[in-house]
Amino acid sequence: ATSAPALLAVAGPPHLWAVCAPGSGEFRLSFSGGGLSCTVLVSTNLTNWEVLTNLPPVTGPVEVCDPEMALRPSRFYRVRINP
């Protein structure tokens, strides 16, 4: 016996397309979700990372704002794909 047909959808990785720091002192990161659940992480030293936000699977554009950017002398960002 065979099972019913299945549909396989392959999603690409998130794609960063815009980074800006408007005059309000916040940082905006825009990227495509790639259809995957993602976590945006922040760090002041590239060693210790903290979660800025968790995002559900999104296929369209995503914009994440960090209002605390102006409070730190340096701030680094990365997007992690969740399992």
Side-chain angles (χ1 to χ4, degrees), residues 9-41:
V10 179
H15 176 74
L16 176 68
W17 67 50
V19 176
C20 67
S24 65
E26 71 179 9
F27 176 83
R28 292 183 191 165
L29 172 69
S30 299
F31 60 96
S32 66
L36 304 167
S37 172
C38 300
T39 299
V40 178
L41 302 147

mmCIF file of all heavy atoms in Angstrom, residues 9-41:
data_model
loop_
_atom_site.group_PDB
_atom_site.id
_atom_site.type_symbol
_atom_site.label_atom_id
_atom_site.label_comp_id
_atom_site.label_asym_id
_atom_site.label_seq_id
_atom_site.Cartn_x
_atom_site.Cartn_y
_atom_site.Cartn_z
ATOM 1 N N ALA A 9 7.701 21.744 0.245
ATOM 2 C CA ALA A 9 8.040 23.123 -0.087
ATOM 3 C C ALA A 9 9.403 23.430 0.519
ATOM 4 O O ALA A 9 9.618 23.245 1.713
ATOM 5 C CB ALA A 9 6.991 24.074 0.475
ATOM 6 N N VAL A 10 10.327 23.876 -0.292
ATOM 7 C CA VAL A 10 11.668 24.206 0.174
ATOM 8 C C VAL A 10 11.772 25.718 0.311
ATOM 9 O O VAL A 10 11.577 26.457 -0.655
ATOM 10 C CB VAL A 10 12.742 23.678 -0.800
ATOM 11 C CG1 VAL A 10 14.129 24.056 -0.321
ATOM 12 C CG2 VAL A 10 12.601 22.168 -0.964
ATOM 13 N N ALA A 11 12.069 26.162 1.507
ATOM 14 C CA ALA A 11 12.190 27.605 1.778
ATOM 15 C C ALA A 11 13.665 27.979 1.806
ATOM 16 O O ALA A 11 14.490 27.229 2.310
ATOM 17 C CB ALA A 11 11.537 27.945 3.111
ATOM 18 N N GLY A 12 13.955 29.138 1.264
ATOM 19 C CA GLY A 12 15.327 29.617 1.283
ATOM 20 C C GLY A 12 15.650 30.288 2.612
ATOM 21 O O GLY A 12 14.757 30.554 3.415
ATOM 22 N N PRO A 13 16.909 30.548 2.862
ATOM 23 C CA PRO A 13 17.301 31.211 4.106
ATOM 24 C C PRO A 13 16.848 32.667 4.109
ATOM 25 O O PRO A 13 16.582 33.235 3.048
ATOM 26 C CB PRO A 13 18.824 31.120 4.099
ATOM 27 C CG PRO A 13 19.177 31.024 2.647
ATOM 28 C CD PRO A 13 18.041 30.270 1.997
ATOM 29 N N PRO A 14 16.770 33.277 5.281
ATOM 30 C CA PRO A 14 16.425 34.702 5.338
ATOM 31 C C PRO A 14 17.437 35.526 4.538
ATOM 32 O O PRO A 14 18.612 35.178 4.451
ATOM 33 C CB PRO A 14 16.521 35.038 6.832
ATOM 34 C CG PRO A 14 16.353 33.728 7.514
ATOM 35 C CD PRO A 14 16.958 32.700 6.591
ATOM 36 N N HIS A 15 16.963 36.595 3.939
ATOM 37 C CA HIS A 15 17.826 37.455 3.134
ATOM 38 C C HIS A 15 17.738 38.883 3.669
ATOM 39 O O HIS A 15 16.679 39.499 3.636
ATOM 40 C CB HIS A 15 17.385 37.407 1.673
ATOM 41 C CG HIS A 15 18.157 38.321 0.789
ATOM 42 N ND1 HIS A 15 19.446 38.050 0.400
ATOM 43 C CD2 HIS A 15 17.835 39.510 0.250
ATOM 44 C CE1 HIS A 15 19.875 39.047 -0.362
ATOM 45 N NE2 HIS A 15 18.916 39.941 -0.465
ATOM 46 N N LEU A 16 18.845 39.384 4.169
ATOM 47 C CA LEU A 16 18.913 40.747 4.689
ATOM 48 C C LEU A 16 18.867 41.727 3.532
ATOM 49 O O LEU A 16 19.576 41.585 2.559
ATOM 50 C CB LEU A 16 20.216 40.928 5.468
ATOM 51 C CG LEU A 16 20.501 42.310 6.012
ATOM 52 C CD1 LEU A 16 19.504 42.653 7.105
ATOM 53 C CD2 LEU A 16 21.915 42.384 6.535
ATOM 54 N N TRP A 17 17.991 42.750 3.632
ATOM 55 C CA TRP A 17 17.961 43.729 2.546
ATOM 56 C C TRP A 17 18.054 45.165 2.997
ATOM 57 O O TRP A 17 18.326 46.034 2.208
ATOM 58 C CB TRP A 17 16.790 43.544 1.616
ATOM 59 C CG TRP A 17 15.439 43.815 2.168
ATOM 60 C CD1 TRP A 17 15.026 44.911 2.858
ATOM 61 C CD2 TRP A 17 14.309 42.986 2.074
ATOM 62 N NE1 TRP A 17 13.714 44.812 3.188
ATOM 63 C CE2 TRP A 17 13.253 43.622 2.724
ATOM 64 C CE3 TRP A 17 14.081 41.745 1.513
ATOM 65 C CZ2 TRP A 17 11.987 43.067 2.811
ATOM 66 C CZ3 TRP A 17 12.827 41.197 1.600
ATOM 67 C CH2 TRP A 17 11.802 41.857 2.236
ATOM 68 N N ALA A 18 17.857 45.476 4.252
ATOM 69 C CA ALA A 18 17.966 46.876 4.654
ATOM 70 C C ALA A 18 18.320 46.991 6.130
ATOM 71 O O ALA A 18 17.821 46.253 6.955
ATOM 72 C CB ALA A 18 16.663 47.609 4.384
ATOM 73 N N VAL A 19 19.195 47.895 6.399
ATOM 74 C CA VAL A 19 19.572 48.235 7.768
ATOM 75 C C VAL A 19 19.591 49.748 7.833
ATOM 76 O O VAL A 19 20.176 50.395 6.972
ATOM 77 C CB VAL A 19 20.972 47.674 8.110
ATOM 78 C CG1 VAL A 19 21.397 48.112 9.482
ATOM 79 C CG2 VAL A 19 20.992 46.160 7.993
ATOM 80 N N CYS A 20 18.936 50.309 8.831
ATOM 81 C CA CYS A 20 18.979 51.758 8.948
ATOM 82 C C CYS A 20 18.845 52.171 10.405
ATOM 83 O O CYS A 20 18.314 51.439 11.230
ATOM 84 C CB CYS A 20 17.899 52.426 8.103
ATOM 85 S SG CYS A 20 16.236 52.120 8.664
ATOM 86 N N ALA A 21 19.379 53.316 10.702
ATOM 87 C CA ALA A 21 19.277 53.909 12.035
ATOM 88 C C ALA A 21 18.707 55.308 11.850
ATOM 89 O O ALA A 21 19.442 56.265 11.680
ATOM 90 C CB ALA A 21 20.640 53.951 12.702
ATOM 91 N N PRO A 22 17.369 55.424 11.858
ATOM 92 C CA PRO A 22 16.775 56.747 11.681
ATOM 93 C C PRO A 22 17.133 57.673 12.836
ATOM 94 O O PRO A 22 17.624 57.232 13.864
ATOM 95 C CB PRO A 22 15.280 56.458 11.623
ATOM 96 C CG PRO A 22 15.100 55.120 12.231
ATOM 97 C CD PRO A 22 16.407 54.391 12.087
ATOM 98 N N GLY A 23 16.869 58.939 12.691
ATOM 99 C CA GLY A 23 17.230 59.933 13.687
ATOM 100 C C GLY A 23 16.638 59.715 15.069
ATOM 101 O O GLY A 23 17.069 60.339 16.019
ATOM 102 N N SER A 24 15.684 58.802 15.207
ATOM 103 C CA SER A 24 15.041 58.569 16.500
ATOM 104 C C SER A 24 15.918 57.781 17.463
ATOM 105 O O SER A 24 15.552 57.601 18.614
ATOM 106 C CB SER A 24 13.719 57.834 16.296
ATOM 107 O OG SER A 24 13.963 56.542 15.771
ATOM 108 N N GLY A 25 17.077 57.284 17.016
ATOM 109 C CA GLY A 25 17.964 56.527 17.888
ATOM 110 C C GLY A 25 17.650 55.041 17.939
ATOM 111 O O GLY A 25 18.233 54.309 18.713
ATOM 112 N N GLU A 26 16.733 54.583 17.102
ATOM 113 C CA GLU A 26 16.450 53.154 17.050
ATOM 114 C C GLU A 26 17.086 52.552 15.809
ATOM 115 O O GLU A 26 17.426 53.262 14.872
ATOM 116 C CB GLU A 26 14.954 52.868 17.075
ATOM 117 C CG GLU A 26 14.232 53.243 15.804
ATOM 118 C CD GLU A 26 12.749 52.909 15.856
ATOM 119 O OE1 GLU A 26 12.232 52.544 16.911
ATOM 120 O OE2 GLU A 26 12.106 53.027 14.823
ATOM 121 N N PHE A 27 17.259 51.256 15.828
ATOM 122 C CA PHE A 27 17.873 50.532 14.728
ATOM 123 C C PHE A 27 16.804 49.665 14.080
ATOM 124 O O PHE A 27 16.018 49.028 14.775
ATOM 125 C CB PHE A 27 18.994 49.648 15.272
ATOM 126 C CG PHE A 27 19.647 48.783 14.240
ATOM 127 C CD1 PHE A 27 20.644 49.296 13.442
ATOM 128 C CD2 PHE A 27 19.278 47.460 14.096
ATOM 129 C CE1 PHE A 27 21.262 48.490 12.492
ATOM 130 C CE2 PHE A 27 19.888 46.648 13.161
ATOM 131 C CZ PHE A 27 20.883 47.172 12.357
ATOM 132 N N ARG A 28 16.757 49.648 12.746
ATOM 133 C CA ARG A 28 15.798 48.824 12.025
ATOM 134 C C ARG A 28 16.528 47.847 11.117
ATOM 135 O O ARG A 28 17.415 48.238 10.368
ATOM 136 C CB ARG A 28 14.867 49.680 11.186
ATOM 137 C CG ARG A 28 13.939 50.514 12.014
ATOM 138 C CD ARG A 28 12.982 51.280 11.145
ATOM 139 N NE ARG A 28 12.286 52.264 11.965
ATOM 140 C CZ ARG A 28 11.603 53.272 11.478
ATOM 141 N NH1 ARG A 28 11.527 53.442 10.179
ATOM 142 N NH2 ARG A 28 11.002 54.117 12.281
ATOM 143 N N LEU A 29 16.137 46.611 11.208
ATOM 144 C CA LEU A 29 16.707 45.539 10.402
ATOM 145 C C LEU A 29 15.564 44.947 9.598
ATOM 146 O O LEU A 29 14.549 44.542 10.166
ATOM 147 C CB LEU A 29 17.315 44.482 11.323
ATOM 148 C CG LEU A 29 17.805 43.186 10.725
ATOM 149 C CD1 LEU A 29 19.038 43.455 9.867
ATOM 150 C CD2 LEU A 29 18.144 42.201 11.827
ATOM 151 N N SER A 30 15.687 44.928 8.269
ATOM 152 C CA SER A 30 14.652 44.362 7.408
ATOM 153 C C SER A 30 15.220 43.175 6.663
ATOM 154 O O SER A 30 16.346 43.224 6.165
ATOM 155 C CB SER A 30 14.158 45.400 6.399
ATOM 156 O OG SER A 30 13.590 46.503 7.073
ATOM 157 N N PHE A 31 14.446 42.103 6.610
ATOM 158 C CA PHE A 31 14.881 40.908 5.893
ATOM 159 C C PHE A 31 13.667 40.093 5.498
ATOM 160 O O PHE A 31 12.570 40.306 5.995
ATOM 161 C CB PHE A 31 15.862 40.079 6.734
ATOM 162 C CG PHE A 31 15.304 39.589 8.045
ATOM 163 C CD1 PHE A 31 14.780 38.322 8.163
ATOM 164 C CD2 PHE A 31 15.323 40.406 9.166
ATOM 165 C CE1 PHE A 31 14.267 37.872 9.370
ATOM 166 C CE2 PHE A 31 14.828 39.968 10.375
ATOM 167 C CZ PHE A 31 14.293 38.694 10.482
ATOM 168 N N SER A 32 13.889 39.145 4.581
ATOM 169 C CA SER A 32 12.815 38.232 4.208
ATOM 170 C C SER A 32 12.858 37.066 5.173
ATOM 171 O O SER A 32 13.933 36.598 5.553
ATOM 172 C CB SER A 32 12.998 37.736 2.769
ATOM 173 O OG SER A 32 14.162 36.947 2.678
ATOM 174 N N GLY A 33 11.704 36.599 5.583
ATOM 175 C CA GLY A 33 11.635 35.497 6.542
ATOM 176 C C GLY A 33 12.006 34.159 5.944
ATOM 177 O O GLY A 33 12.365 33.235 6.660
ATOM 178 N N GLY A 34 11.924 34.014 4.637
ATOM 179 C CA GLY A 34 12.302 32.762 3.998
ATOM 180 C C GLY A 34 11.379 31.605 4.336
ATOM 181 O O GLY A 34 11.696 30.455 4.076
ATOM 182 N N GLY A 35 10.221 31.877 4.965
ATOM 183 C CA GLY A 35 9.297 30.815 5.344
ATOM 184 C C GLY A 35 9.734 30.039 6.565
ATOM 185 O O GLY A 35 9.187 28.992 6.873
ATOM 186 N N LEU A 36 10.742 30.555 7.266
ATOM 187 C CA LEU A 36 11.303 29.849 8.413
ATOM 188 C C LEU A 36 11.115 30.643 9.695
ATOM 189 O O LEU A 36 11.059 31.860 9.683
ATOM 190 C CB LEU A 36 12.803 29.613 8.190
ATOM 191 C CG LEU A 36 13.161 28.859 6.913
ATOM 192 C CD1 LEU A 36 14.653 28.957 6.644
ATOM 193 C CD2 LEU A 36 12.721 27.420 7.018
ATOM 194 N N SER A 37 11.051 29.940 10.805
ATOM 195 C CA SER A 37 11.014 30.578 12.117
ATOM 196 C C SER A 37 12.425 31.077 12.437
ATOM 197 O O SER A 37 13.401 30.348 12.263
ATOM 198 C CB SER A 37 10.555 29.556 13.156
ATOM 199 O OG SER A 37 10.679 30.066 14.447
ATOM 200 N N CYS A 38 12.539 32.316 12.890
ATOM 201 C CA CYS A 38 13.850 32.919 13.132
ATOM 202 C C CYS A 38 13.902 33.581 14.501
ATOM 203 O O CYS A 38 12.882 33.978 15.054
ATOM 204 C CB CYS A 38 14.157 33.982 12.090
ATOM 205 S SG CYS A 38 14.193 33.402 10.404
ATOM 206 N N THR A 39 15.114 33.721 15.010
ATOM 207 C CA THR A 39 15.371 34.484 16.222
ATOM 208 C C THR A 39 16.379 35.568 15.878
ATOM 209 O O THR A 39 17.408 35.287 15.265
ATOM 210 C CB THR A 39 15.939 33.588 17.341
ATOM 211 O OG1 THR A 39 14.982 32.580 17.654
ATOM 212 C CG2 THR A 39 16.251 34.380 18.590
ATOM 213 N N VAL A 40 16.083 36.810 16.248
ATOM 214 C CA VAL A 40 17.020 37.907 16.053
ATOM 215 C C VAL A 40 17.771 38.084 17.368
ATOM 216 O O VAL A 40 17.161 38.242 18.427
ATOM 217 C CB VAL A 40 16.302 39.207 15.652
ATOM 218 C CG1 VAL A 40 17.302 40.344 15.506
ATOM 219 C CG2 VAL A 40 15.515 39.005 14.364
ATOM 220 N N LEU A 41 19.094 38.032 17.287
ATOM 221 C CA LEU A 41 19.959 38.128 18.458
ATOM 222 C C LEU A 41 20.770 39.409 18.418
ATOM 223 O O LEU A 41 21.089 39.914 17.339
ATOM 224 C CB LEU A 41 20.901 36.923 18.506
ATOM 225 C CG LEU A 41 20.191 35.568 18.540
ATOM 226 C CD1 LEU A 41 20.990 34.529 17.813
ATOM 227 C CD2 LEU A 41 19.935 35.149 19.962
#
